Amino acid sequence: MKISVFTSNQPRHIGLINSLSKIADRVYAIQECNTVFPGKVKDFFDNSDVMNTYFKRVRDAETEVFGKVSFISGNVSHLAIKSGDLNSLSEDVLKPALDSDIYVVFGASYIKGWLIDFLVAHKAINIHMGISPYYRGSSCNFWAAYDGHPELVGATIHLLSKGLDSGCMLYHALPKAEALDPFVLGMKSVKVAQDSLVERIANKDIYKYEPIKQDKTKEYRYSRSTDFTDEVAKDYLENLLSPEEVMVKLKNRDLDLLKNPYII
């Protein structure tokens, strides 16, 4: 089996590539690269004092769940590009990755042009870190926690579409109820999403799900990257839920809000 994955270069993205490599004969990994020290190094996000403090918590949680940034497995053909360059690549450049059995998108930039047409036609699967249709857009799990809904921190596994996070849903993946720091909760939701997808690709269960159209009237928040400011990050840090408060919220999840929930 051959798998192509369009992703990024943080430890969580490398974790997905390496997990896929364990069930595939060949993985083609197209990585859009940013700094691996967000908040500390100015890049997609600013390096203000509050962003440094916030992303230090993010990096620590990511290291706890995924380990440090690392090399990629041996059966992976790897293409590293700058974030945002994906839509400028020609079919000729990506040709080796365009003959796979499964296409996965996780953490890539907004895909347009010929490539989105190709991926949609081949039923590419997107891992959206957020519970759709309630949270869509940018940094959805942050906003769910910010809004006081850690029970809606998780992932939506859906078919890729031309609209942002708007494809037909296959299932939701969420961490089990336990006392977790909110930052660790976010990273564990990533791990659950990845583990569930890898498992379901390997056993072919992924083909058994009936895609369900999203009901956008149920949307709680559509967030943009510009919404995440120093003021918002500071407010979040000063009002973090305790691990015990998180556990209570997770125990009281309304499963009727979820599609085929995978909770581990």
Side-chain angles (χ1 to χ4, degrees):
M1 177 170 58
K2 293 187 290 186
I3 300 175
S4 291
V5 55
F6 297 81
T7 187
S8 189
N9 65 313
Q10 308 296 324
R12 59 189 180 274
H13 305 109
I14 295 171
L16 175 61
I17 295 169
N18 287 337
S19 292
L20 290 171
S21 75
K22 294 176 182 178
I23 64 167
D25 300 302
R26 173 61 54 182
V27 172
Y28 295 94
I30 297 88
Q31 286 184 281
E32 294 186 280
C33 300
N34 292 303
T35 179
V36 294
F37 300 104
K40 184 177 180 180
V41 175
K42 188 172 183 177
D43 195 352
F44 187 82
F45 295 102
D46 199 358
N47 61 343
S48 64
D49 288 344
V50 68
M51 287 297 177
N52 192 19
T53 300
Y54 174 85
F55 280 105
K56 173 68 163 56
R57 298 286 296 269
V58 172
R59 297 195 305 270
D60 288 347
E62 187 172 31
T63 299
E64 178 178 332
V65 176
F66 290 97
K68 296 180 179 179
V69 65
S70 63
F71 289 99
I72 293 173
S73 298
N75 63 331
V76 177
S77 295
H78 170 242
L79 177 65
I81 59 175
K82 189 179 187 304
S83 182
D85 283 354
L86 183 58
N87 291 317
S88 297
L89 297 182
S90 67
E91 292 184 52
D92 182 59
V93 169
L94 288 177
K95 185 176 180 180
L98 301 179
D99 186 33
S100 289
D101 303 290
I102 294 280
Y103 298 88
V104 177
V105 178
F106 170 57
S109 62
Y110 187 47
I111 303 174
K112 299 181 288 187
W114 72 267
L115 183 55
I116 190 65
D117 291 336
F118 175 89
L119 293 174
V120 169
H122 286 78
K123 296 185 177 180
I125 298 168
N126 186 57
I127 301 177
H128 165 56
M129 292 315 304
I131 300 297
S132 294
Y134 313 108
Y135 284 90
R136 295 176 53 239
S138 175
S139 304
C140 291
N141 281 335
F142 165 81
W143 287 108
Y146 182 87
D147 290 343
H149 293 300
E151 73 278 10
L152 290 177
V153 170
T156 307
I157 312 302
H158 67 87
L159 296 179
L160 189 68
S161 65
K162 292 186 178 182
L164 186 63
D165 308 328
S166 62
C168 291
M169 301 182 297
L170 302 177
Y171 67 92
H172 289 119
L174 309 95
K176 66 182 180 181
E178 56 182 325
L180 293 172
D181 171 89
F183 287 92
V184 175
L185 172 67
M187 286 300 164
K188 283 210 167 185
S189 72
V190 179
K191 188 70 166 62
V192 171
Q194 293 182 4
D195 289 349
S196 71
L197 182 59
V198 170
E199 173 189 305
R200 289 171 174 187
I201 290 174
N203 63 22
K204 302 188 186 305
D205 281 353
I206 194 66
Y207 300 109
K208 298 178 182 179
Y209 291 99
E210 179 185 355
I212 299 296
K213 188 176 181 180
Q214 296 191 36
D215 183 353
K216 294 183 181 179
T217 66
K218 295 182 178 180
E219 185 175 287
Y220 292 178
R221 183 193 284 268
Y222 186 96
S223 50
R224 294 170 173 79
S225 58
T226 53
D227 297 334
F228 184 64
T229 62
D230 279 15
E231 291 74 23
V232 167
K234 183 174 184 293
D235 183 43
Y236 181 69
L237 290 168
E238 291 176 348
N239 295 283
L240 276 178
L241 292 174
S242 69
E244 292 72 27
E245 290 172 319
V246 168
M247 182 169 63
V248 170
K249 292 272 191 176
L250 299 188
K251 283 184 174 180
N252 291 306
R253 278 191 185 114
D254 183 355
L255 297 182
D256 289 337
L257 295 176
L258 306 173
K259 174 175 170 52
N260 301 320
Y262 179 107
I263 301 175
I264 58 171

